[in-house]
Each structure stands twice: as structure tokens, then as C-alpha cells.
């Protein structure tokens, strides 16, 4: 089953969704622990802007945080080492939460 759909499909396949669920485990927005089953797959580089539908360009977001990305200017980006996804405020500053509040987000994202 292909996991890198590139530009051929915008919709995330069931197999690709399972990969994202296992990798992210919950909403990736800083401090959120909404479980994967409550989340939607979000294109980090929007599909309309040329972003591919593959595991490196998708992340799980709960409905509340998905709206925050699309309507309020928050954004997501990969850490320089590619191990985790960071949340950026609308002014592009990093949301950096203390370890006690980030919980599972401190664990590296499995590739």
C-alpha cells in the first residue's frame, strides 16, 4: 500500500492515517493530548500550495487546534533534527512549554 501519495491525492489513505496515528499518538499542537481518534490529518504545507500527501507533510490536529492553524495564524514546523513537530505562534515565535506540560510530546516522533 503506497504511503507517499504526493500530489496524486489530497485525502489521506487509511494506511497512511495509521502511520500518522502511530507516529503522533495525539494532537501535535503544543501541550495538547487529544487522542489520535479525535484528530484530523493536517498538511503542514497545504495541499493547495503544492504540499504532498505523505507522512513528512502530515500531522494530527484536534478540531480546535486545526482551526487555530487555519483561522488564527498558528503554524507547525519540524524541529531542525526532524525528530518532532513544533508549534509556532502567529508572530512565528516557538511555543516552548515546560516538560511537565508537554507530556508525550517530549518523545521523539518515530519515522
Amino acid at each position: 500500500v503506497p504511503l507517499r501519495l504526493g500530489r496524486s491525492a489530497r485525502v489521506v489513505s487509511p494506511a497512511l492515517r495509521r502511520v500518522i496515528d502511530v507516529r503522533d499518538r495525539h494532537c501535535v499542537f503544543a501541550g495538547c493530548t487529544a487522542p489520535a481518534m479525535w484528530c484530523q490529518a493536517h498538511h503542514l504545507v497545504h495541499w493547495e500550495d503544492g504540499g504532498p500527501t505523505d507522512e513528512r507533510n502530515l500531522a494530527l490536529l484536534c478540531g480546535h487546534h486545526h482551526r487555530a492553524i487555519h483561522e488564527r495564524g498558528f503554524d507547525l514546523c519540524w524541529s531542525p533534527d526532524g525528530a518532532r513537530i513544533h508549534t509556532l505562534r502567529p508572530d512565528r515565535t516557538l511555543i516552548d512549554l515546560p516538560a511537565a506540560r508537554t507530556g508525550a510530546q517530549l518523545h521523539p516522533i518515530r519515522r
Side-chain angles (χ1 to χ4, degrees), residues 54-83:
D54 63 37
E55 70 274 11
R56 293 297 295 167
N57 193 43
L58 294 168
L60 292 181
L61 288 171
C62 66
H64 174 75
H65 289 123
H66 206 171
R67 286 186 298 281
I69 299 286
H70 286 285
E71 298 172 7
R72 295 179 27 223
F74 287 87
D75 203 0
L76 301 173
C77 67
W78 283 98
S79 62
D81 64 2

Side-chain angles (χ1 to χ4, degrees), residues 4-79:
R4 291 185 174 96
L5 302 175
R7 298 287 305 153
S8 66
R10 178 180 181 182
V11 177
V12 177
S13 70
L16 181 53
R17 174 57 194 241
R18 284 190 296 276
V19 168
I20 307 286
D21 286 356
V22 168
R23 183 194 70 197
D24 294 350
R25 299 185 307 248
H26 57 81
C27 176
V28 299
F29 200 95
C32 187
T33 57
M37 65 177 16
W38 296 358
C39 296
Q40 304 153 353
H42 168 75
H43 286 81
L44 277 73
V45 175
H46 301 296
W47 196 82
E48 294 86 2
D49 296 333
T53 301
D54 63 37
E55 70 274 11
R56 293 297 295 167
N57 193 43
L58 294 168
L60 292 181
L61 288 171
C62 66
H64 174 75
H65 289 123
H66 206 171
R67 286 186 298 281
I69 299 286
H70 286 285
E71 298 172 7
R72 295 179 27 223
F74 287 87
D75 203 0
L76 301 173
C77 67
W78 283 98
S79 62

